Amino acid sequence: MKAVAVTPNTRQIAVIDTHPEPVLEADTDVLLDMLDIGVCGTDREIARFDYGTPPAGSDYLVIGHESLGRVARVGSKVTRVKPGDLVVTMVRRPCPHPECRACRAGRQDFCFTGDFTERGIKGRHGFMTERVVDDVRYMHRVPPELRALGVLVEPLTIAEKALIQVWDVQDRLPWKPQRAVVLGAGPVGLLGALALIVRGFDTWVYSRTHAGSPVPALVTAVGGHFVSSETSLADLAKQVGNIDLVYEATGAASVSFEALGVLGTNGVFVFTGVPGRKGPISIAADTLMRDMVLKNQLVFGTVNAGADAFAASVADLAKFAATWPKQVASLITGRFAPEDAPRLLTGDADGIKNVVSFG
Ligand code: BGC
Ligand code: ZN
């Protein structure tokens, strides 16, 4: 079977046609025909051999964790999905340790030990292949109307998990936060901005941009404000007023910590980006610490997502598609054949979300 394989030992990224056909083993297994697989920053890191681990016993890793598949066959105990259904499959699988309370509770997105696996990333083959088998418990049904957009469900789960936690912590306040700043305008940032806007936040997207980029107009069209990073963060804060929430989606430490410095009173700052391995930077730790205390601020990081975030993501994507059909469709800037995947993974990143299609 055809698959896009990354081989760290020989530093190769190639389309292979010898990947073994998956088979239904358990009666809760489901066989999927893969349709669309998104390419993200994590995949590009794996393609630079900075990240990513093949499964035990394999010298290659089939890449791809943002997926949309169609059910082809189901095991005898499967009732939640049927052949023909569209599904998105979760990425992370639990670690084996009995003492890991998170994994034992089905919340491997909060795994304590780090010995979890992730499809297409760490110790398990991913989705950039013709067919995949997985347990139905990891699958989320996507309505047929979302055929073209379903591949955005997984990247949107990052924002959904973040927002679930934001509501949990902001329950401490007898009012709702109103003003949000999104740092970065890649897919995670833009999907996060849409999720904030549908929740009624006055949403400001702060990002680098290049001449001719469709992003500023896109943000305005969905009711947000776009501010180019040529404007200082101090000036941004003057325009916004009290910044109740910063949703970081850049992976850049210096701009992020500078933004932490303009977080408002009672504000929450959420990190979602993983910075590359650069040298240390200096930050104004004393004023940041003083503000955190005197302004009741909260800072947290978030990774991966649980079933609740996947369900919220499917529901939100349907809302986005109904509210802004053109703008949401424009987030997918390219569809490519599997043969183009090695170039997409290693070349200059053009566009917002590029997708490799098998179906
Ligand atoms: C994926 C997450 C994953 C993380 C770290 C992200 O790109 O969306 O599911 O946990 O990378 O491997
Ligand atoms: Zn990703």
Side-chain angles (χ1 to χ4, degrees), residues 14-349:
V15 182
I16 58 172
D17 54 18
T18 52
H19 189 56
E21 191 77 47
V23 287
L24 294 182
E25 279 165 11
D27 46 19
T28 49
D29 276 352
V30 174
L31 173 72
L32 302 177
D33 290 321
M34 297 317 294
L35 300 173
D36 292 339
I37 297 90
V39 173
C40 82
T42 302
D43 298 313
R44 298 169 61 79
E45 250 182 71
I46 296 170
R48 283 196 302 269
F49 308 101
D50 286 345
Y51 196 54
T53 321
S58 168
D59 54 0
Y60 67 87
L61 170 74
V62 174
I63 202 166
H65 60 275
E66 304 181 356
S67 74
L68 179 69
R70 183 180 284 123
V71 176
R73 278 178 53 204
V74 300
S76 60
K77 288 238 170 73
V78 172
T79 51
R80 261 195 328 107
V81 303
K82 56 177 190 314
D85 284 352
L86 298 178
V87 299
V88 171
T89 306
M90 294 167 75
V91 178
R92 193 177 281 192
R93 300 294 171 270
C95 79
H97 307 292
E99 71 277 14
C100 182
R101 295 171 71 192
C103 288
R104 301 294 69 80
R107 288 310 302 258
Q108 47 272 18
D109 57 316
F110 288 110
C111 176
F112 283 95
T113 68
D115 289 338
F116 56 79
T117 56
E118 288 181 334
R119 292 206 66 159
I121 301 175
K122 184 175 180 279
R124 240 176 233 273
H125 287 312
F127 303 124
M128 214 180 268
T129 181
E130 291 177 85
R131 280 169 295 280
V132 155
V133 164
D134 214 323
D135 193 289
V136 68
R137 89 181 76 167
Y138 300 120
M139 295 183 182
H140 291 264
R141 210 143 52 84
V142 170
E145 310 83 80
L146 292 181
R147 166 65 185 86
L149 298 174
V151 70
L152 297 175
V153 167
E154 196 279 344
L156 177 58
T157 60
I158 306 300
E160 298 292 349
K161 177 175 172 183
L163 287 176
I164 290 169
Q165 295 171 89
V166 166
W167 293 129
D168 284 349
V169 296
Q170 291 305 53
D171 238 5
R172 65 188 178 152
L173 307 174
W175 57 84
K176 279 192 170 183
Q178 292 176 331
R179 299 190 190 97
V181 168
V182 173
L183 298 179
V188 173
L190 290 173
L191 289 166
L194 297 179
L196 289 163
I197 292 167
V198 294
R199 282 164 181 74
F201 278 89
D202 190 17
T203 302
W204 300 68
V205 176
Y206 182 79
S207 171
R208 283 196 303 226
T209 184
H210 56 87
S213 162
V215 166
L218 175 73
V219 170
T220 313
V222 297
H225 315 272
F226 183 87
V227 176
S228 142
S229 58
E230 278 154 34
T231 303
S232 72
L233 279 159
D235 283 341
L236 172 74
K238 275 184 213 143
Q239 289 182 55
V240 178
N242 193 70
I243 299 175
D244 298 317
L245 173 65
V246 175
Y247 177 74
E248 180 280 324
T250 62
S254 64
V255 67
S256 301
F257 278 93
E258 206 187 318
L260 180 55
V262 299
L263 181 65
T265 300
N266 307 321
V268 178
F269 190 107
V270 191
F271 282 107
T272 77
V274 181
R277 291 188 191 92
K278 291 191 189 140
I281 58 163
S282 54
I283 56 170
D286 51 347
T287 53
L288 291 176
M289 180 170 165
R290 191 182 58 200
D291 278 357
M292 274 190 224
V293 172
L294 296 180
K295 297 182 178 174
N296 296 299
Q297 293 172 338
L298 205 126
V299 179
F300 73 88
T302 182
V303 69
N304 198 253
D308 53 352
F310 272 80
S313 179
V314 173
D316 260 359
L317 199 61
K319 248 184 244 169
F320 300 171
T323 319
W324 309 292
K326 248 185 60 199
Q327 287 77 16
V328 181
S330 76
L331 294 176
I332 297 179
T333 41
R335 283 183 185 277
F336 298 86
E339 287 66 30
D340 294 318
R343 183 178 58 81
L344 282 178
L345 287 161
T346 56
D348 289 337

